[in-house]
Amino acid sequence: MKTPICTGILMLTFLAHAQTQTEVLDTLYGNDKKVVAVFFPAPIRQAIVGGEHFTFNYNRESGQYFGLLQALPGPPGNLLAITTKGNVYTYIIKYTESLPRLNYFLDKKERIGREKPEVKKPVSASRPDSLTKVYYTKFSRFLVKQKSERLAMKRKNKLALKIHKLLYENDEMFLVMALINKSRIDYEVDAVRIASVVGNKKRKSSYQEVPIQPIFSWQAPTIIQKGAIKKFVFVLPKYVFTGNERLRVSVEERNGSRSMQVTLRHPHISLLTIP
């Protein structure tokens, strides 16, 4: 059976990573007279052996917890396996006439890593005290009076969600936004949600969304009357965006379908110095 190129590259990548570890890889032994069962802590999603003189068979459809190893005489090879939990295991495999074991029961601790990074926990912070709330309120009022910018904007059905400023101040981020209602009916706000987003939602393997919980909100809108503009400020825990991370703001309408979301890419975040 031909091995896909991408699988081969993945195998080489994980082997290179494993060889940099101080611990020596464990060895599994097999021969052509008996089958050796290798049990994993979770069902096997994918497995590959290095060398045509080795075979590792498992049920790809039912999510089998174990695979059967056999070997022909030849040089040592390797086994790379990924479970449905995303855990990665790799072992040296060797041919031997006399098998030391017929069954191997692997532990989760033996994994060399994960197929993709652990999902980040939601960014949050403790509630501010009364004096801090006074500061947040005064600073928010100051920010909305400043000259308006437009870092990002989304229009829909004569409605608009605009991001004016994103300011890093000490250990917080001040996000200045506005909702504009040019429609003929009032707009009732059900929720305003903020998150850090990485990747493309259509490609689930690369997509990651981390909610950012506000510490404080000033003039958070509940209803924007027809023809009105409402500016408001959210204070968030400081979050440094890296790589292709984006800040996404979503506004949902109560008892309606006129929801909006706007995405702010990291290079366009304004870092302002307030005297």
Side-chain angles (χ1 to χ4, degrees), residues 53-116:
H53 51 292
F54 296 104
T55 60
F56 186 76
N57 297 313
Y58 62 98
N59 193 320
R60 292 170 172 79
E61 296 180 359
S62 63
Q64 199 164 290
Y65 279 78
F66 69 93
L68 300 177
L69 175 67
Q70 283 194 294
L72 294 172
N78 64 285
L79 167 67
L80 171 69
I82 304 174
T83 68
T84 55
K85 299 290 186 180
N87 293 322
V88 181
Y89 300 82
T90 184
Y91 296 90
I92 298 298
I93 49 178
K94 291 182 179 180
Y95 172 86
T96 182
E97 285 285 344
S98 178
L99 294 174
R101 296 172 62 180
L102 291 177
N103 300 286
Y104 291 87
F105 292 87
L106 308 182
D107 190 274
K108 181 180 177 181
K109 296 178 182 177
E110 297 180 43
R111 68 181 185 180
I112 63 167
R114 288 186 54 79
E115 183 182 19
K116 56 184 179 180

